[in-house]
mmCIF file of all heavy atoms in Angstrom:
data_model
loop_
_atom_site.group_PDB
_atom_site.id
_atom_site.type_symbol
_atom_site.label_atom_id
_atom_site.label_comp_id
_atom_site.label_asym_id
_atom_site.label_seq_id
_atom_site.Cartn_x
_atom_site.Cartn_y
_atom_site.Cartn_z
ATOM 1 N N VAL A 264 -60.119 102.967 28.577
ATOM 2 C CA VAL A 264 -60.264 101.960 29.636
ATOM 3 C C VAL A 264 -59.716 100.613 29.185
ATOM 4 O O VAL A 264 -59.033 99.943 29.961
ATOM 5 C CB VAL A 264 -61.722 101.879 30.125
ATOM 6 C CG1 VAL A 264 -61.865 100.793 31.167
ATOM 7 C CG2 VAL A 264 -62.142 103.213 30.711
ATOM 8 N N ILE A 265 -59.960 100.204 27.927
ATOM 9 C CA ILE A 265 -59.324 98.940 27.546
ATOM 10 C C ILE A 265 -57.809 99.122 27.504
ATOM 11 O O ILE A 265 -57.065 98.174 27.693
ATOM 12 C CB ILE A 265 -59.825 98.293 26.227
ATOM 13 C CG1 ILE A 265 -59.555 99.152 25.010
ATOM 14 C CG2 ILE A 265 -61.273 97.911 26.290
ATOM 15 C CD1 ILE A 265 -59.941 98.460 23.689
ATOM 16 N N GLY A 309 -68.657 95.026 18.810
ATOM 17 C CA GLY A 309 -68.772 94.910 20.266
ATOM 18 C C GLY A 309 -68.099 93.652 20.784
ATOM 19 O O GLY A 309 -67.428 93.672 21.819
ATOM 20 N N ILE A 312 -64.356 94.017 20.987
ATOM 21 C CA ILE A 312 -63.943 94.800 22.149
ATOM 22 C C ILE A 312 -64.011 93.939 23.410
ATOM 23 O O ILE A 312 -63.099 93.929 24.243
ATOM 24 C CB ILE A 312 -64.814 96.061 22.303
ATOM 25 C CG1 ILE A 312 -64.526 97.007 21.140
ATOM 26 C CG2 ILE A 312 -64.549 96.749 23.629
ATOM 27 C CD1 ILE A 312 -65.264 98.304 21.223
ATOM 28 N N LEU A 313 -65.092 93.193 23.516
ATOM 29 C CA LEU A 313 -65.261 92.341 24.693
ATOM 30 C C LEU A 313 -64.138 91.321 24.777
ATOM 31 O O LEU A 313 -63.551 91.087 25.840
ATOM 32 C CB LEU A 313 -66.619 91.636 24.594
ATOM 33 C CG LEU A 313 -67.283 91.197 25.886
ATOM 34 C CD1 LEU A 313 -67.390 92.344 26.865
ATOM 35 C CD2 LEU A 313 -68.662 90.647 25.587
ATOM 36 N N LEU A 316 -60.863 92.806 25.766
ATOM 37 C CA LEU A 316 -60.920 93.049 27.192
ATOM 38 C C LEU A 316 -60.565 91.797 27.960
ATOM 39 O O LEU A 316 -59.795 91.820 28.919
ATOM 40 C CB LEU A 316 -62.367 93.424 27.483
ATOM 41 C CG LEU A 316 -62.656 94.209 28.695
ATOM 42 C CD1 LEU A 316 -62.010 95.561 28.541
ATOM 43 C CD2 LEU A 316 -64.153 94.378 28.797
ATOM 44 N N ILE A 317 -61.122 90.691 27.503
ATOM 45 C CA ILE A 317 -60.888 89.437 28.217
ATOM 46 C C ILE A 317 -59.437 89.014 28.031
ATOM 47 O O ILE A 317 -58.772 88.617 28.984
ATOM 48 C CB ILE A 317 -61.880 88.364 27.717
ATOM 49 C CG1 ILE A 317 -63.296 88.758 28.165
ATOM 50 C CG2 ILE A 317 -61.507 87.001 28.271
ATOM 51 C CD1 ILE A 317 -64.385 87.892 27.617
ATOM 52 N N GLN A 327 -59.726 94.119 37.111
ATOM 53 C CA GLN A 327 -59.799 95.482 36.579
ATOM 54 C C GLN A 327 -60.673 96.346 37.465
ATOM 55 O O GLN A 327 -61.457 95.866 38.255
ATOM 56 C CB GLN A 327 -60.393 95.458 35.166
ATOM 57 C CG GLN A 327 -59.549 94.698 34.176
ATOM 58 C CD GLN A 327 -60.278 94.581 32.860
ATOM 59 O OE1 GLN A 327 -61.497 94.585 32.818
ATOM 60 N NE2 GLN A 327 -59.529 94.455 31.791
ATOM 61 N N PHE D 70 -71.860 99.590 37.823
ATOM 62 C CA PHE D 70 -72.097 100.436 36.668
ATOM 63 C C PHE D 70 -72.782 99.576 35.625
ATOM 64 O O PHE D 70 -72.407 98.418 35.459
ATOM 65 C CB PHE D 70 -70.697 100.801 36.129
ATOM 66 C CG PHE D 70 -70.559 102.222 35.756
ATOM 67 C CD1 PHE D 70 -70.118 103.133 36.685
ATOM 68 C CD2 PHE D 70 -70.882 102.653 34.478
ATOM 69 C CE1 PHE D 70 -69.978 104.456 36.348
ATOM 70 C CE2 PHE D 70 -70.752 103.978 34.144
ATOM 71 C CZ PHE D 70 -70.302 104.866 35.081
ATOM 72 N N ASP D 71 -73.775 100.054 34.937
ATOM 73 C CA ASP D 71 -74.294 99.282 33.802
ATOM 74 C C ASP D 71 -74.755 100.214 32.695
ATOM 75 O O ASP D 71 -75.765 100.891 32.823
ATOM 76 C CB ASP D 71 -75.423 98.335 34.213
ATOM 77 C CG ASP D 71 -75.727 97.311 33.136
ATOM 78 O OD1 ASP D 71 -75.252 97.478 32.000
ATOM 79 O OD2 ASP D 71 -76.436 96.336 33.426
ATOM 80 N N LEU D 72 -73.991 100.230 31.618
ATOM 81 C CA LEU D 72 -74.368 101.042 30.465
ATOM 82 C C LEU D 72 -75.266 100.269 29.514
ATOM 83 O O LEU D 72 -75.991 100.864 28.722
ATOM 84 C CB LEU D 72 -73.115 101.481 29.703
ATOM 85 C CG LEU D 72 -72.143 102.358 30.474
ATOM 86 C CD1 LEU D 72 -70.838 102.499 29.718
ATOM 87 C CD2 LEU D 72 -72.757 103.718 30.723
ATOM 88 N N SER D 73 -75.215 98.942 29.582
ATOM 89 C CA SER D 73 -75.893 98.147 28.566
ATOM 90 C C SER D 73 -77.408 98.169 28.721
ATOM 91 O O SER D 73 -78.124 97.705 27.844
ATOM 92 C CB SER D 73 -75.387 96.702 28.602
ATOM 93 O OG SER D 73 -75.809 96.069 29.790
ATOM 94 N N VAL D 117 -79.234 88.849 29.879
ATOM 95 C CA VAL D 117 -78.161 89.811 29.613
ATOM 96 C C VAL D 117 -77.548 90.284 30.928
ATOM 97 O O VAL D 117 -76.321 90.349 31.083
ATOM 98 C CB VAL D 117 -78.680 91.011 28.794
ATOM 99 C CG1 VAL D 117 -77.582 92.039 28.627
ATOM 100 C CG2 VAL D 117 -79.196 90.555 27.447
ATOM 101 N N GLY D 118 -78.397 90.569 31.897
ATOM 102 C CA GLY D 118 -77.899 90.985 33.209
ATOM 103 C C GLY D 118 -77.007 89.909 33.815
ATOM 104 O O GLY D 118 -75.959 90.206 34.395
ATOM 105 N N PHE D 120 -75.269 87.685 32.259
ATOM 106 C CA PHE D 120 -73.996 87.621 31.541
ATOM 107 C C PHE D 120 -73.081 88.770 31.987
ATOM 108 O O PHE D 120 -71.895 88.560 32.262
ATOM 109 C CB PHE D 120 -74.239 87.674 30.034
ATOM 110 C CG PHE D 120 -72.996 87.448 29.219
ATOM 111 C CD1 PHE D 120 -72.330 86.237 29.263
ATOM 112 C CD2 PHE D 120 -72.484 88.451 28.425
ATOM 113 C CE1 PHE D 120 -71.177 86.039 28.521
ATOM 114 C CE2 PHE D 120 -71.336 88.266 27.676
ATOM 115 C CZ PHE D 120 -70.685 87.048 27.725
ATOM 116 N N ASN D 121 -73.638 89.970 32.087
ATOM 117 C CA ASN D 121 -72.858 91.094 32.619
ATOM 118 C C ASN D 121 -72.292 90.740 33.988
ATOM 119 O O ASN D 121 -71.116 90.953 34.266
ATOM 120 C CB ASN D 121 -73.736 92.337 32.780
ATOM 121 C CG ASN D 121 -74.021 93.014 31.468
ATOM 122 O OD1 ASN D 121 -73.255 92.884 30.523
ATOM 123 N ND2 ASN D 121 -75.128 93.724 31.393
ATOM 124 N N GLY D 122 -73.167 90.229 34.834
ATOM 125 C CA GLY D 122 -72.756 89.891 36.191
ATOM 126 C C GLY D 122 -71.645 88.860 36.176
ATOM 127 O O GLY D 122 -70.674 88.960 36.942
ATOM 128 N N PHE D 123 -71.766 87.894 35.291
ATOM 129 C CA PHE D 123 -70.732 86.862 35.211
ATOM 130 C C PHE D 123 -69.382 87.489 34.901
ATOM 131 O O PHE D 123 -68.389 87.232 35.585
ATOM 132 C CB PHE D 123 -71.110 85.844 34.140
ATOM 133 C CG PHE D 123 -69.998 84.888 33.829
ATOM 134 C CD1 PHE D 123 -69.690 83.864 34.699
ATOM 135 C CD2 PHE D 123 -69.245 85.029 32.674
ATOM 136 C CE1 PHE D 123 -68.651 82.992 34.439
ATOM 137 C CE2 PHE D 123 -68.206 84.161 32.396
ATOM 138 C CZ PHE D 123 -67.908 83.144 33.282
ATOM 139 N N LEU D 124 -69.348 88.335 33.878
ATOM 140 C CA LEU D 124 -68.063 88.919 33.481
ATOM 141 C C LEU D 124 -67.499 89.841 34.561
ATOM 142 O O LEU D 124 -66.295 89.912 34.776
ATOM 143 C CB LEU D 124 -68.213 89.695 32.173
ATOM 144 C CG LEU D 124 -68.446 88.842 30.929
ATOM 145 C CD1 LEU D 124 -68.639 89.728 29.717
ATOM 146 C CD2 LEU D 124 -67.282 87.894 30.702
ATOM 147 N N ILE D 125 -68.380 90.546 35.243
ATOM 148 C CA ILE D 125 -67.912 91.549 36.194
ATOM 149 C C ILE D 125 -67.605 90.920 37.550
ATOM 150 O O ILE D 125 -66.558 91.173 38.135
ATOM 151 C CB ILE D 125 -68.975 92.668 36.336
ATOM 152 C CG1 ILE D 125 -69.101 93.409 35.013
ATOM 153 C CG2 ILE D 125 -68.613 93.616 37.465
ATOM 154 C CD1 ILE D 125 -70.356 94.203 34.876
ATOM 155 N N VAL D 126 -68.497 90.095 38.027
ATOM 156 C CA VAL D 126 -68.335 89.555 39.385
ATOM 157 C C VAL D 126 -67.368 88.378 39.370
ATOM 158 O O VAL D 126 -66.433 88.323 40.155
ATOM 159 C CB VAL D 126 -69.700 89.128 39.959
ATOM 160 C CG1 VAL D 126 -69.509 88.512 41.337
ATOM 161 C CG2 VAL D 126 -70.622 90.323 40.022
ATOM 162 N N PHE D 128 -65.490 87.172 36.639
ATOM 163 C CA PHE D 128 -64.294 87.318 35.828
ATOM 164 C C PHE D 128 -63.551 88.590 36.194
ATOM 165 O O PHE D 128 -62.480 88.867 35.666
ATOM 166 C CB PHE D 128 -64.707 87.326 34.353
ATOM 167 C CG PHE D 128 -63.721 86.648 33.457
ATOM 168 C CD1 PHE D 128 -63.514 85.277 33.553
ATOM 169 C CD2 PHE D 128 -62.989 87.356 32.537
ATOM 170 C CE1 PHE D 128 -62.601 84.648 32.745
ATOM 171 C CE2 PHE D 128 -62.063 86.733 31.718
ATOM 172 C CZ PHE D 128 -61.873 85.381 31.820
ATOM 173 N N GLN D 129 -64.120 89.370 37.068
ATOM 174 C CA GLN D 129 -63.489 90.586 37.593
ATOM 175 C C GLN D 129 -63.023 91.551 36.504
ATOM 176 O O GLN D 129 -61.933 92.112 36.567
ATOM 177 C CB GLN D 129 -62.313 90.212 38.487
ATOM 178 C CG GLN D 129 -62.770 89.422 39.686
ATOM 179 C CD GLN D 129 -61.672 89.211 40.670
ATOM 180 O OE1 GLN D 129 -60.613 88.722 40.321
ATOM 181 N NE2 GLN D 129 -61.903 89.582 41.910
ATOM 182 N N LEU D 130 -63.874 91.728 35.502
ATOM 183 C CA LEU D 130 -63.591 92.758 34.512
ATOM 184 C C LEU D 130 -64.197 94.067 34.985
ATOM 185 O O LEU D 130 -65.116 94.081 35.803
ATOM 186 C CB LEU D 130 -64.184 92.362 33.164
ATOM 187 C CG LEU D 130 -63.566 91.140 32.497
ATOM 188 C CD1 LEU D 130 -64.378 90.728 31.284
ATOM 189 C CD2 LEU D 130 -62.141 91.444 32.070
ATOM 190 N N SER D 131 -63.696 95.166 34.439
ATOM 191 C CA SER D 131 -64.228 96.473 34.819
ATOM 192 C C SER D 131 -65.676 96.605 34.367
ATOM 193 O O SER D 131 -66.013 96.364 33.206
ATOM 194 C CB SER D 131 -63.367 97.555 34.177
ATOM 195 O OG SER D 131 -64.161 98.644 33.790
ATOM 196 N N ALA D 132 -66.546 96.969 35.297
ATOM 197 C CA ALA D 132 -67.976 97.039 34.980
ATOM 198 C C ALA D 132 -68.233 98.058 33.882
ATOM 199 O O ALA D 132 -69.057 97.837 32.993
ATOM 200 C CB ALA D 132 -68.775 97.408 36.230
ATOM 201 N N PHE D 133 -67.531 99.157 33.926
ATOM 202 C CA PHE D 133 -67.774 100.199 32.939
ATOM 203 C C PHE D 133 -67.534 99.683 31.535
ATOM 204 O O PHE D 133 -68.369 99.807 30.643
ATOM 205 C CB PHE D 133 -66.862 101.395 33.220
ATOM 206 C CG PHE D 133 -67.016 102.494 32.220
ATOM 207 C CD1 PHE D 133 -67.994 103.448 32.381
ATOM 208 C CD2 PHE D 133 -66.200 102.564 31.103
ATOM 209 C CE1 PHE D 133 -68.157 104.451 31.454
ATOM 210 C CE2 PHE D 133 -66.356 103.561 30.172
ATOM 211 C CZ PHE D 133 -67.335 104.511 30.353
ATOM 212 N N ILE D 134 -66.379 99.069 31.372
ATOM 213 C CA ILE D 134 -66.003 98.739 30.017
ATOM 214 C C ILE D 134 -66.732 97.487 29.526
ATOM 215 O O ILE D 134 -67.112 97.388 28.363
ATOM 216 C CB ILE D 134 -64.464 98.655 29.916
ATOM 217 C CG1 ILE D 134 -64.016 98.324 28.523
ATOM 218 C CG2 ILE D 134 -63.879 97.724 30.907
ATOM 219 C CD1 ILE D 134 -64.223 99.485 27.604
ATOM 220 N N VAL D 135 -67.001 96.553 30.445
ATOM 221 C CA VAL D 135 -67.799 95.382 30.051
ATOM 222 C C VAL D 135 -69.167 95.830 29.560
ATOM 223 O O VAL D 135 -69.632 95.422 28.494
ATOM 224 C CB VAL D 135 -68.004 94.416 31.240
ATOM 225 C CG1 VAL D 135 -69.175 93.490 30.977
ATOM 226 C CG2 VAL D 135 -66.752 93.608 31.471
ATOM 227 N N THR D 136 -69.803 96.697 30.337
ATOM 228 C CA THR D 136 -71.163 97.043 29.945
ATOM 229 C C THR D 136 -71.166 97.995 28.760
ATOM 230 O O THR D 136 -72.143 98.054 28.022
ATOM 231 C CB THR D 136 -71.947 97.624 31.123
ATOM 232 O OG1 THR D 136 -71.272 98.773 31.618
ATOM 233 C CG2 THR D 136 -72.080 96.597 32.235
ATOM 234 N N LEU D 137 -70.060 98.712 28.561
ATOM 235 C CA LEU D 137 -69.970 99.520 27.338
ATOM 236 C C LEU D 137 -69.892 98.593 26.117
ATOM 237 O O LEU D 137 -70.589 98.795 25.111
ATOM 238 C CB LEU D 137 -68.745 100.433 27.405
ATOM 239 C CG LEU D 137 -68.419 101.258 26.164
ATOM 240 C CD1 LEU D 137 -69.635 102.018 25.682
ATOM 241 C CD2 LEU D 137 -67.303 102.245 26.470
ATOM 242 N N ALA D 138 -69.056 97.567 26.232
ATOM 243 C CA ALA D 138 -68.982 96.609 25.134
ATOM 244 C C ALA D 138 -70.334 95.914 24.957
ATOM 245 O O ALA D 138 -70.804 95.711 23.832
ATOM 246 C CB ALA D 138 -67.882 95.587 25.399
ATOM 247 N N MET D 139 -70.977 95.590 26.069
ATOM 248 C CA MET D 139 -72.266 94.901 25.979
ATOM 249 C C MET D 139 -73.341 95.822 25.408
ATOM 250 O O MET D 139 -74.282 95.361 24.758
ATOM 251 C CB MET D 139 -72.684 94.382 27.356
ATOM 252 C CG MET D 139 -71.922 93.148 27.786
ATOM 253 S SD MET D 139 -72.199 91.739 26.690
ATOM 254 C CE MET D 139 -73.875 91.315 27.148
ATOM 255 N N LEU D 140 -73.229 97.112 25.661
ATOM 256 C CA LEU D 140 -74.153 98.064 25.041
ATOM 257 C C LEU D 140 -74.101 97.890 23.525
ATOM 258 O O LEU D 140 -75.133 97.840 22.849
ATOM 259 C CB LEU D 140 -73.753 99.483 25.444
ATOM 260 C CG LEU D 140 -74.493 100.653 24.806
ATOM 261 C CD1 LEU D 140 -74.665 101.760 25.822
ATOM 262 C CD2 LEU D 140 -73.783 101.204 23.592
ATOM 263 N N ILE D 141 -72.893 97.764 23.007
ATOM 264 C CA ILE D 141 -72.745 97.615 21.561
ATOM 265 C C ILE D 141 -73.195 96.220 21.120
ATOM 266 O O ILE D 141 -73.912 96.064 20.135
ATOM 267 C CB ILE D 141 -71.279 97.867 21.155
ATOM 268 C CG1 ILE D 141 -70.843 99.262 21.625
ATOM 269 C CG2 ILE D 141 -71.096 97.729 19.664
ATOM 270 C CD1 ILE D 141 -69.363 99.535 21.415
ATOM 271 N N VAL D 142 -72.797 95.207 21.884
ATOM 272 C CA VAL D 142 -73.140 93.830 21.500
ATOM 273 C C VAL D 142 -74.658 93.623 21.502
ATOM 274 O O VAL D 142 -75.225 93.086 20.552
ATOM 275 C CB VAL D 142 -72.458 92.822 22.458
ATOM 276 C CG1 VAL D 142 -73.037 91.433 22.278
ATOM 277 C CG2 VAL D 142 -70.958 92.814 22.222
ATOM 278 N N VAL D 143 -75.293 94.057 22.580
ATOM 279 C CA VAL D 143 -76.737 93.804 22.695
ATOM 280 C C VAL D 143 -77.491 94.554 21.602
ATOM 281 O O VAL D 143 -78.384 94.011 20.951
ATOM 282 C CB VAL D 143 -77.239 94.194 24.102
ATOM 283 C CG1 VAL D 143 -78.749 94.123 24.174
ATOM 284 C CG2 VAL D 143 -76.616 93.293 25.142
ATOM 285 N N PHE D 226 -77.324 92.747 39.101
ATOM 286 C CA PHE D 226 -77.207 92.875 37.643
ATOM 287 C C PHE D 226 -78.387 92.185 36.945
ATOM 288 O O PHE D 226 -78.926 92.701 35.961
ATOM 289 C CB PHE D 226 -75.881 92.278 37.151
ATOM 290 C CG PHE D 226 -74.748 93.259 37.234
ATOM 291 C CD1 PHE D 226 -73.771 93.138 38.198
ATOM 292 C CD2 PHE D 226 -74.679 94.323 36.357
ATOM 293 C CE1 PHE D 226 -72.733 94.054 38.291
ATOM 294 C CE2 PHE D 226 -73.648 95.244 36.430
ATOM 295 C CZ PHE D 226 -72.672 95.110 37.403
#
Side-chain angles (χ1 to χ4, degrees):
Chain A
V264 177
I265 63 175
I312 292 183
L313 206 53
L316 203 65
I317 292 173
Q327 297 173 332
Chain D
F70 223 91
D71 194 347
L72 298 169
S73 69
V117 176
F120 187 64
N121 284 335
F123 170 75
L124 290 178
I125 294 162
V126 177
F128 216 67
Q129 297 188 306
L130 294 171
S131 144
F133 178 86
I134 180 72
V135 161
T136 58
L137 175 51
M139 284 298 287
L140 174 144
I141 303 173
V142 167
V143 172
F226 275 107

